[in-house]
Amino acid sequence: ALDLDGTLAIDNNQVMPDTRRALQSLHEEGVEVVIATGRRYRTTRFVIDNLGFDVYAVCNGGALVKTPDEQTHHESPYSTSQVNDLIDLARTRNLSLFGQRDSHVRGGADFIIDNPLAWAPVIQNYFNMNIDWCEKGDMRDRDPEFLVTGTMGTEAELNGLVHEIHQTFPDTYNSIVIPDADPNSWYCEITLARVTKWHGLSQLAHLFEITAKNICAVGDQVNDLPMLEAVKHGVAMGNGVDALHEHATLICGNHDEDGILDVIDYIRRHNESVST
C-alpha cells in the first residue's frame, strides 16, 4: 500500500522509471499494489496512469475505495445531519465549506462549494482554478455523498472553527489546519474520526481475505501513521517525518531517489523467508 505525494509520486504526477518497472514486476508476481492517498480519485488517476497498470486505490484519506476498473468498492460518507451541523458552524463564522464526493459514480463535480454566503476572495480563486471539476450550491440537506469537507481562510478563522467543532462534537471529527499555496490563506480539512487510510485498506484486506500481517504500507506524513501502526510491515520514506520513522519497521530511501526499490527488496526477502 503506497501513499502518493512524498512516497510514490514525484513532480508532475510522474513515477520514477526504475520504480515503475519494479512495481509492475512485483504486481505480476502476485503482490497486490494499492494506492492509499488523501487525494481525490480524479487526481489519483494521474499517477495511476503514469504507473502503467491499474490498481485498487484508497482515496480521500480512506473514505473512498476504488477498484482497478474505476468502480466504487466502498465509501464512508458523512450523514446528512453531520454535513448540516458543520455547515451551520461554518456559516456562523462566514466561512464557505466545500465537500468532496465520488463523481465517478454519482456524476457531476468532484466537489461542491457552499454558496449561500458571499465567498471570500480565496474561495473564489479556488473555484476559478478548479472550475472544470467544481460546482457551487447549497450543501445542506443533500443525500449522504460528501466524503471529506474543508474550507479556506486565515489561520485564526480556521483554528476558531476547528476549536468549536471539537467542543461541540467531541470524538466525531478529525481536522488539520495547514498553510495553503496562497501565502495569504490557510486550508482546513475535516474528516470523520473513524476514517483513516487504514479504514480504507481494511476494506481491501477483507476483500482479499488477508490480515494486517500480510500488508506492507509505505508513507511519509502523519496521516500515514494509522496504516503503518496497523500493519505488520510499516515503512517510512527516508524523506518522511520523524513521527513516522519512530513507528516504522523499515526506513527506506527518499521518494525521488527510488526509495520504493528498498521496499520491494524487503517484500521479496520476506516472501522468500516465509516460503522456505
Side-chain angles (χ1 to χ4, degrees):
L2 298 166
D3 170 54
L4 288 186
D5 299 295
T7 300
L8 176 62
I10 56 174
D11 292 345
N12 299 318
N13 299 301
Q14 296 298 311
V15 178
M16 299 197 73
D18 286 348
T19 293
R20 180 177 64 247
R21 286 189 289 269
L23 286 172
Q24 289 175 330
S25 177
L26 190 71
H27 187 69
E28 291 167 1
E29 294 167 16
V31 175
E32 199 75 48
V33 177
V34 173
I35 301 301
T37 180
R39 292 193 189 194
R40 309 191 307 273
Y41 186 60
R42 183 188 302 278
T43 55
T44 299
R45 282 297 323 179
F46 298 157
V47 182
I48 294 175
D49 291 343
N50 289 327
L51 183 61
F53 59 99
D54 289 320
V55 296
Y56 286 89
V58 174
C59 302
N60 300 93
L64 178 66
V65 181
K66 303 291 282 190
T67 66
D69 59 356
E70 302 191 4
Q71 300 303 303
T72 296
H73 172 70
H74 176 83
E75 65 174 358
S76 297
Y78 290 86
S79 67
T80 301
S81 62
Q82 287 171 330
V83 173
N84 288 348
D85 289 339
L86 292 179
I87 286 289
D88 288 343
L89 293 182
R91 288 181 182 178
T92 59
R93 293 175 173 272
N94 292 316
L95 293 169
S96 300
L97 212 66
F98 45 83
Q100 299 179 19
R101 53 195 297 279
D102 182 9
S103 62
H104 277 78
V105 166
R106 299 178 183 276
D110 288 359
F111 58 98
I112 311 296
I113 302 182
D114 192 46
N115 76 335
L117 303 175
W119 283 350
V122 66
I123 297 292
Q124 184 64 57
N125 290 340
Y126 188 67
F127 175 79
N128 294 342
M129 291 172 57
N130 294 276
I131 195 166
D132 291 338
W133 311 298
C134 177
E135 294 176 0
K136 59 178 71 176
D138 192 332
M139 284 177 55
R140 283 188 60 86
D141 301 324
R142 298 174 71 109
D143 291 337
E145 62 173 344
F146 294 117
L147 305 169
V148 176
T149 59
T151 188
M152 294 176 176
T154 68
E155 184 179 15
E157 288 173 335
L158 301 185
N159 283 336
L161 174 64
V162 165
H163 177 76
E164 187 172 7
I165 288 172
H166 293 302
Q167 287 289 314
T168 309
F169 306 106
D171 304 319
T172 304
Y173 304 100
N174 289 326
S175 58
I176 57 170
V177 175
I178 57 175
D180 185 43
D182 184 332
N184 299 314
S185 72
W186 289 63
Y187 168 69
C188 173
E189 183 171 273
I190 307 158
T191 59
L192 294 172
R194 64 188 175 88
V195 174
T196 65
K197 290 185 180 183
W198 172 244
H199 171 79
L201 279 178
S202 67
Q203 312 303 319
L204 292 181
H206 179 73
L207 175 66
F208 300 151
E209 298 182 337
I210 61 175
T211 70
K213 294 188 296 184
N214 304 109
I215 299 173
C216 177
V218 191
D220 72 309
Q221 289 294 331
V222 174
N223 67 339
D224 298 310
L225 189 56
M227 68 176 181
L228 262 68
E229 290 182 322
V231 303
K232 181 176 180 180
H233 310 280
V235 180
M237 301 301 297
N239 53 279
V241 298
D242 290 342
L244 226 59
H245 287 186
E246 294 170 3
H247 292 85
T249 305
L250 171 71
I251 299 174
C252 68
N254 291 354
H255 79 295
D256 56 356
E257 298 175 349
D258 281 316
I260 298 297
L261 297 182
D262 297 337
V263 187
I264 295 171
D265 289 342
Y266 171 86
I267 291 171
R268 285 181 171 141
R269 290 196 306 270
H270 174 78
N271 286 348
E272 288 173 359
S273 66
V274 170
S275 64
T276 57

CSV table of all heavy atoms in Angstrom, one decimal, residues 60-63 76-79 82-83 86 146-149 165-166 169-176 189-200 202-203 222-223 225-227 229:
chain,number,residue,atom,x,y,z
A,60,ASN,N,-9.3,10.0,-0.8
A,60,ASN,CA,-9.9,10.8,0.2
A,60,ASN,C,-9.6,10.4,1.6
A,60,ASN,O,-10.4,10.4,2.5
A,60,ASN,CB,-11.4,10.8,0.0
A,60,ASN,CG,-11.8,11.3,-1.4
A,60,ASN,OD1,-12.0,10.5,-2.3
A,60,ASN,ND2,-12.0,12.6,-1.6
A,61,GLY,N,-8.3,10.1,1.9
A,61,GLY,CA,-7.9,9.7,3.2
A,61,GLY,C,-8.5,8.5,3.8
A,61,GLY,O,-8.4,8.2,5.0
A,62,GLY,N,-9.1,7.6,2.9
A,62,GLY,CA,-9.7,6.4,3.4
A,62,GLY,C,-11.2,6.3,3.3
A,62,GLY,O,-11.8,5.3,3.5
A,63,ALA,N,-11.8,7.4,2.9
A,63,ALA,CA,-13.3,7.5,2.8
A,63,ALA,C,-13.8,6.8,1.5
A,63,ALA,O,-15.0,6.5,1.4
A,63,ALA,CB,-13.7,8.9,2.8
A,76,SER,N,-17.3,5.9,2.7
A,76,SER,CA,-17.8,6.2,4.1
A,76,SER,C,-18.1,7.7,4.1
A,76,SER,O,-17.3,8.6,4.5
A,76,SER,CB,-16.7,5.9,5.1
A,76,SER,OG,-16.3,4.6,5.1
A,77,PRO,N,-19.3,8.1,3.6
A,77,PRO,CA,-19.7,9.5,3.6
A,77,PRO,C,-20.2,10.0,4.9
A,77,PRO,O,-20.6,9.2,5.8
A,77,PRO,CB,-20.8,9.5,2.6
A,77,PRO,CG,-21.5,8.1,2.7
A,77,PRO,CD,-20.4,7.2,3.1
A,78,TYR,N,-20.2,11.3,5.1
A,78,TYR,CA,-20.9,11.9,6.2
A,78,TYR,C,-22.4,11.6,6.1
A,78,TYR,O,-23.0,11.5,5.0
A,78,TYR,CB,-20.8,13.4,6.1
A,78,TYR,CG,-19.4,14.1,6.4
A,78,TYR,CD1,-18.5,14.2,5.4
A,78,TYR,CD2,-19.1,14.6,7.6
A,78,TYR,CE1,-17.3,14.8,5.6
A,78,TYR,CE2,-17.9,15.2,7.9
A,78,TYR,CZ,-17.0,15.3,6.9
A,78,TYR,OH,-15.8,15.9,7.1
A,79,SER,N,-23.1,11.6,7.2
A,79,SER,CA,-24.6,11.6,7.2
A,79,SER,C,-25.0,13.1,6.8
A,79,SER,O,-24.3,14.0,6.9
A,79,SER,CB,-25.1,11.2,8.5
A,79,SER,OG,-24.8,12.2,9.5
A,82,GLN,N,-24.7,15.3,9.8
A,82,GLN,CA,-23.3,15.7,10.1
A,82,GLN,C,-22.9,16.9,9.2
A,82,GLN,O,-22.3,17.9,9.6
A,82,GLN,CB,-22.4,14.6,9.9
A,82,GLN,CG,-22.5,13.5,11.0
A,82,GLN,CD,-21.7,12.3,10.7
A,82,GLN,OE1,-21.5,11.9,9.6
A,82,GLN,NE2,-21.2,11.6,11.8
A,83,VAL,N,-23.2,16.8,7.9
A,83,VAL,CA,-22.9,17.9,7.0
A,83,VAL,C,-23.6,19.2,7.4
A,83,VAL,O,-23.1,20.3,7.5
A,83,VAL,CB,-23.3,17.5,5.5
A,83,VAL,CG1,-23.1,18.8,4.6
A,83,VAL,CG2,-22.4,16.4,5.0
A,86,LEU,N,-21.9,20.9,10.4
A,86,LEU,CA,-20.7,21.6,10.0
A,86,LEU,C,-21.0,22.8,9.2
A,86,LEU,O,-20.3,23.9,9.4
A,86,LEU,CB,-19.8,20.6,9.2
A,86,LEU,CG,-19.2,19.5,10.0
A,86,LEU,CD1,-18.3,18.6,9.1
A,86,LEU,CD2,-18.4,19.9,11.2
A,146,PHE,N,-21.0,13.3,0.8
A,146,PHE,CA,-19.7,14.0,1.0
A,146,PHE,C,-18.8,13.2,1.8
A,146,PHE,O,-19.1,12.6,2.9
A,146,PHE,CB,-20.0,15.4,1.7
A,146,PHE,CG,-20.7,16.3,0.8
A,146,PHE,CD1,-22.0,16.8,1.2
A,146,PHE,CD2,-20.2,16.7,-0.4
A,146,PHE,CE1,-22.7,17.7,0.4
A,146,PHE,CE2,-20.9,17.6,-1.2
A,146,PHE,CZ,-22.2,18.1,-0.8
A,147,LEU,N,-17.5,13.0,1.3
A,147,LEU,CA,-16.5,12.2,1.9
A,147,LEU,C,-15.6,12.9,2.8
A,147,LEU,O,-15.1,12.4,3.8
A,147,LEU,CB,-15.8,11.5,0.8
A,147,LEU,CG,-16.6,10.7,-0.2
A,147,LEU,CD1,-15.8,10.3,-1.4
A,147,LEU,CD2,-17.2,9.4,0.4
A,148,VAL,N,-15.2,14.1,2.4
A,148,VAL,CA,-14.3,15.0,3.1
A,148,VAL,C,-14.8,16.4,3.0
A,148,VAL,O,-15.3,16.8,1.9
A,148,VAL,CB,-12.9,14.9,2.5
A,148,VAL,CG1,-11.9,15.9,3.2
A,148,VAL,CG2,-12.3,13.5,2.7
A,149,THR,N,-14.7,17.2,4.0
A,149,THR,CA,-15.1,18.6,3.9
A,149,THR,C,-13.9,19.5,4.2
A,149,THR,O,-12.9,19.0,4.9
A,149,THR,CB,-16.3,19.0,4.8
A,149,THR,OG1,-15.9,18.7,6.2
A,149,THR,CG2,-17.5,18.2,4.5
A,165,ILE,N,-15.8,23.0,16.5
A,165,ILE,CA,-16.2,21.7,16.0
A,165,ILE,C,-15.9,20.6,17.1
A,165,ILE,O,-16.7,19.8,17.5
A,165,ILE,CB,-15.5,21.3,14.7
A,165,ILE,CG1,-16.1,22.1,13.6
A,165,ILE,CG2,-15.6,19.8,14.4
A,165,ILE,CD1,-15.3,22.0,12.3
A,166,HIS,N,-14.7,20.7,17.6
A,166,HIS,CA,-14.3,19.7,18.6
A,166,HIS,C,-14.9,19.9,20.0
A,166,HIS,O,-15.2,18.9,20.7
A,166,HIS,CB,-12.8,19.6,18.8
A,166,HIS,CG,-12.1,19.1,17.5
A,166,HIS,ND1,-12.3,17.9,17.0
A,166,HIS,CD2,-11.1,19.7,16.7
A,166,HIS,CE1,-11.6,17.7,15.9
A,166,HIS,NE2,-10.9,18.8,15.7
A,169,PHE,N,-18.8,18.7,19.0
A,169,PHE,CA,-18.9,17.3,18.6
A,169,PHE,C,-17.6,16.6,18.9
A,169,PHE,O,-16.9,16.2,18.1
A,169,PHE,CB,-19.2,17.3,17.1
A,169,PHE,CG,-20.4,18.1,16.7
A,169,PHE,CD1,-20.2,19.3,15.9
A,169,PHE,CD2,-21.7,17.7,16.9
A,169,PHE,CE1,-21.2,20.0,15.5
A,169,PHE,CE2,-22.7,18.5,16.5
A,169,PHE,CZ,-22.5,19.7,15.8
A,170,PRO,N,-17.4,16.3,20.2
A,170,PRO,CA,-16.1,15.6,20.6
A,170,PRO,C,-16.1,14.2,20.0
A,170,PRO,O,-17.1,13.5,20.0
A,170,PRO,CB,-16.2,15.6,22.1
A,170,PRO,CG,-17.6,15.8,22.5
A,170,PRO,CD,-18.2,16.6,21.4
A,171,ASP,N,-14.9,13.8,19.6
A,171,ASP,CA,-14.6,12.5,19.1
A,171,ASP,C,-15.4,12.1,17.8
A,171,ASP,O,-15.5,10.9,17.5
A,171,ASP,CB,-14.9,11.4,20.2
A,171,ASP,CG,-14.2,11.7,21.5
A,171,ASP,OD1,-13.0,12.0,21.4
A,171,ASP,OD2,-14.8,11.5,22.6
A,172,THR,N,-15.9,13.1,17.1
A,172,THR,CA,-16.7,12.9,15.9
A,172,THR,C,-15.8,13.1,14.7
A,172,THR,O,-16.0,12.4,13.6
A,172,THR,CB,-17.9,13.7,15.9
A,172,THR,OG1,-18.7,13.5,17.1
A,172,THR,CG2,-18.8,13.4,14.7
A,173,TYR,N,-14.9,14.1,14.7
A,173,TYR,CA,-14.2,14.6,13.5
A,173,TYR,C,-12.7,14.7,13.9
A,173,TYR,O,-12.3,14.9,15.0
A,173,TYR,CB,-14.7,15.9,13.1
A,173,TYR,CG,-16.2,16.0,12.8
A,173,TYR,CD1,-17.1,16.5,13.7
A,173,TYR,CD2,-16.7,15.5,11.6
A,173,TYR,CE1,-18.4,16.6,13.4
A,173,TYR,CE2,-18.0,15.5,11.3
A,173,TYR,CZ,-18.9,16.1,12.2
A,173,TYR,OH,-20.2,16.1,12.0
A,174,ASN,N,-11.9,14.5,12.8
A,174,ASN,CA,-10.5,14.9,12.8
A,174,ASN,C,-10.3,16.1,11.9
A,174,ASN,O,-11.1,16.2,11.0
A,174,ASN,CB,-9.6,13.7,12.3
A,174,ASN,CG,-9.5,12.6,13.3
A,174,ASN,OD1,-9.5,12.8,14.5
A,174,ASN,ND2,-9.4,11.4,12.8
A,175,SER,N,-9.4,16.9,12.2
A,175,SER,CA,-9.2,18.1,11.4
A,175,SER,C,-7.7,18.5,11.4
A,175,SER,O,-7.0,18.2,12.4
A,175,SER,CB,-10.0,19.3,12.0
A,175,SER,OG,-9.7,19.6,13.3
A,176,ILE,N,-7.3,19.2,10.3
A,176,ILE,CA,-6.0,19.7,10.2
A,176,ILE,C,-6.1,21.1,9.7
A,176,ILE,O,-7.0,21.4,8.9
A,176,ILE,CB,-5.1,18.9,9.3
A,176,ILE,CG1,-5.7,18.8,7.9
A,176,ILE,CG2,-4.8,17.5,9.9
A,176,ILE,CD1,-4.7,18.2,6.9
A,189,GLU,N,-9.0,20.9,6.7
A,189,GLU,CA,-9.7,19.7,6.2
A,189,GLU,C,-10.3,19.0,7.4
A,189,GLU,O,-9.7,18.9,8.4
A,189,GLU,CB,-8.7,18.8,5.5
A,189,GLU,CG,-9.3,17.6,4.9
A,189,GLU,CD,-8.4,16.8,4.0
A,189,GLU,OE1,-8.3,17.1,2.8
A,189,GLU,OE2,-7.7,15.9,4.5
A,190,ILE,N,-11.5,18.5,7.2
A,190,ILE,CA,-12.3,17.9,8.2
A,190,ILE,C,-12.7,16.5,7.8
A,190,ILE,O,-13.3,16.4,6.7
A,190,ILE,CB,-13.5,18.7,8.6
A,190,ILE,CG1,-13.1,20.2,9.0
A,190,ILE,CG2,-14.2,18.1,9.8
A,190,ILE,CD1,-14.3,21.1,8.9
A,191,THR,N,-12.4,15.5,8.5
A,191,THR,CA,-12.8,14.1,8.2
A,191,THR,C,-13.5,13.5,9.3
A,191,THR,O,-13.4,13.9,10.5
A,191,THR,CB,-11.6,13.3,7.8
A,191,THR,OG1,-10.7,13.2,8.9
A,191,THR,CG2,-10.9,13.8,6.6
A,192,LEU,N,-14.3,12.5,9.1
A,192,LEU,CA,-14.9,11.7,10.2
A,192,LEU,C,-13.8,11.0,10.9
A,192,LEU,O,-12.8,10.5,10.4
A,192,LEU,CB,-15.8,10.6,9.6
A,192,LEU,CG,-17.1,11.2,8.9
A,192,LEU,CD1,-17.8,10.0,8.2
A,192,LEU,CD2,-18.0,11.9,9.9
A,193,ALA,N,-13.9,11.0,12.3
A,193,ALA,CA,-12.8,10.5,13.1
A,193,ALA,C,-12.5,9.0,12.8
A,193,ALA,O,-11.3,8.6,12.9
A,193,ALA,CB,-13.2,10.6,14.6
A,194,ARG,N,-13.5,8.2,12.4
A,194,ARG,CA,-13.2,6.8,12.1
A,194,ARG,C,-12.5,6.6,10.8
A,194,ARG,O,-12.1,5.4,10.5
A,194,ARG,CB,-14.5,6.0,12.2
A,194,ARG,CG,-15.5,6.4,11.1
A,194,ARG,CD,-16.8,5.7,11.4
A,194,ARG,NE,-17.9,6.1,10.4
A,194,ARG,CZ,-18.1,5.6,9.2
A,194,ARG,NH1,-17.3,4.6,8.8
A,194,ARG,NH2,-19.0,6.0,8.5
A,195,VAL,N,-12.5,7.6,9.9
A,195,VAL,CA,-12.0,7.4,8.6
A,195,VAL,C,-10.5,7.7,8.5
A,195,VAL,O,-10.1,8.9,8.7
A,195,VAL,CB,-12.8,8.3,7.6
A,195,VAL,CG1,-12.1,8.2,6.2
A,195,VAL,CG2,-14.2,7.8,7.5
A,196,THR,N,-9.7,6.7,8.2
A,196,THR,CA,-8.2,6.9,8.0
A,196,THR,C,-7.8,6.1,6.8
A,196,THR,O,-8.7,5.3,6.3
A,196,THR,CB,-7.4,6.4,9.3
A,196,THR,OG1,-7.6,5.0,9.4
A,196,THR,CG2,-7.9,7.1,10.5
A,197,LYS,N,-6.6,6.2,6.5
A,197,LYS,CA,-6.1,5.3,5.4
A,197,LYS,C,-6.3,3.8,5.7
A,197,LYS,O,-6.5,3.0,4.9
A,197,LYS,CB,-4.7,5.6,5.0
A,197,LYS,CG,-4.6,7.0,4.3
A,197,LYS,CD,-3.1,7.2,3.8
A,197,LYS,CE,-3.0,8.6,3.1
A,197,LYS,NZ,-1.6,8.8,2.6
A,198,TRP,N,-6.0,3.5,7.0
A,198,TRP,CA,-6.2,2.1,7.4
A,198,TRP,C,-7.7,1.7,7.3
A,198,TRP,O,-8.0,0.5,7.0
A,198,TRP,CB,-5.7,1.9,8.8
A,198,TRP,CG,-6.1,0.5,9.3
A,198,TRP,CD1,-6.9,0.1,10.4
A,198,TRP,CD2,-5.7,-0.8,8.7
A,198,TRP,NE1,-7.0,-1.2,10.4
A,198,TRP,CE2,-6.3,-1.8,9.4
A,198,TRP,CE3,-4.9,-1.1,7.6
A,198,TRP,CZ2,-6.1,-3.1,9.1
A,198,TRP,CZ3,-4.7,-2.4,7.3
A,198,TRP,CH2,-5.3,-3.4,8.0
A,199,HIS,N,-8.6,2.6,7.6
A,199,HIS,CA,-10.0,2.3,7.4
A,199,HIS,C,-10.3,1.8,6.0
A,199,HIS,O,-11.0,0.8,5.8
A,199,HIS,CB,-10.9,3.5,7.8
A,199,HIS,CG,-12.3,3.4,7.4
A,199,HIS,ND1,-13.2,2.7,8.2
A,199,HIS,CD2,-13.0,3.8,6.4
A,199,HIS,CE1,-14.4,2.7,7.7
A,199,HIS,NE2,-14.3,3.4,6.5
A,200,GLY,N,-9.7,2.5,5.0
A,200,GLY,CA,-9.9,2.1,3.6
A,200,GLY,C,-9.2,0.8,3.3
A,200,GLY,O,-9.8,0.0,2.6
A,202,SER,N,-8.5,-1.6,5.2
A,202,SER,CA,-9.1,-2.7,5.9
A,202,SER,C,-10.2,-3.3,5.1
A,202,SER,O,-10.5,-4.5,5.1
A,202,SER,CB,-9.6,-2.4,7.3
A,202,SER,OG,-10.6,-1.4,7.2
A,203,GLN,N,-10.9,-2.4,4.3
A,203,GLN,CA,-11.9,-2.9,3.4
A,203,GLN,C,-11.3,-3.8,2.3
A,203,GLN,O,-11.9,-4.9,1.9
A,203,GLN,CB,-12.6,-1.7,2.7
A,203,GLN,CG,-13.1,-0.6,3.6
A,203,GLN,CD,-14.0,-1.0,4.7
A,203,GLN,OE1,-14.9,-1.9,4.5
A,203,GLN,NE2,-13.8,-0.5,5.9
A,222,VAL,N,2.2,12.3,8.6
A,222,VAL,CA,1.5,11.9,9.8
A,222,VAL,C,0.1,11.2,9.5
A,222,VAL,O,-0.3,10.2,10.2
A,222,VAL,CB,1.2,13.1,10.8
A,222,VAL,CG1,0.3,12.7,12.0
A,222,VAL,CG2,2.5,13.6,11.3
A,223,ASN,N,-0.5,11.6,8.4
A,223,ASN,CA,-1.8,10.9,8.0
A,223,ASN,C,-1.5,9.5,7.6
A,223,ASN,O,-2.5,8.7,7.4
A,223,ASN,CB,-2.5,11.7,7.0
A,223,ASN,CG,-1.8,11.8,5.6
A,223,ASN,OD1,-0.6,11.6,5.5
A,223,ASN,ND2,-2.6,12.1,4.6
A,225,LEU,N,0.3,7.5,9.5
A,225,LEU,CA,0.6,6.7,10.7
A,225,LEU,C,-0.4,5.6,11.0
A,225,LEU,O,0.0,4.5,11.4
A,225,LEU,CB,0.7,7.7,11.8
A,225,LEU,CG,1.2,7.2,13.2
A,225,LEU,CD1,2.6,6.5,13.0
A,225,LEU,CD2,1.3,8.3,14.2
A,226,PRO,N,-1.8,5.9,10.9
A,226,PRO,CA,-2.7,4.8,11.3
A,226,PRO,C,-2.5,3.5,10.5
A,226,PRO,O,-2.6,2.4,11.0
A,226,PRO,CB,-4.1,5.4,10.9
A,226,PRO,CG,-3.9,6.9,11.1
A,226,PRO,CD,-2.5,7.1,10.6
A,227,MET,N,-2.1,3.6,9.2
A,227,MET,CA,-1.9,2.4,8.4
A,227,MET,C,-0.6,1.7,8.8
A,227,MET,O,-0.5,0.5,8.8
A,227,MET,CB,-2.1,2.6,6.9
A,227,MET,CG,-1.1,3.4,6.2
A,227,MET,SD,-1.4,3.5,4.4
A,227,MET,CE,0.0,4.5,3.9
A,229,GLU,N,0.9,1.8,11.7
A,229,GLU,CA,0.7,1.2,13.0
A,229,GLU,C,-0.1,-0.1,12.9
A,229,GLU,O,0.1,-1.0,13.7
A,229,GLU,CB,0.1,2.2,14.0
A,229,GLU,CG,0.9,3.3,14.4
A,229,GLU,CD,0.3,4.3,15.4
A,229,GLU,OE1,-0.9,4.5,15.2
A,229,GLU,OE2,1.0,4.8,16.3
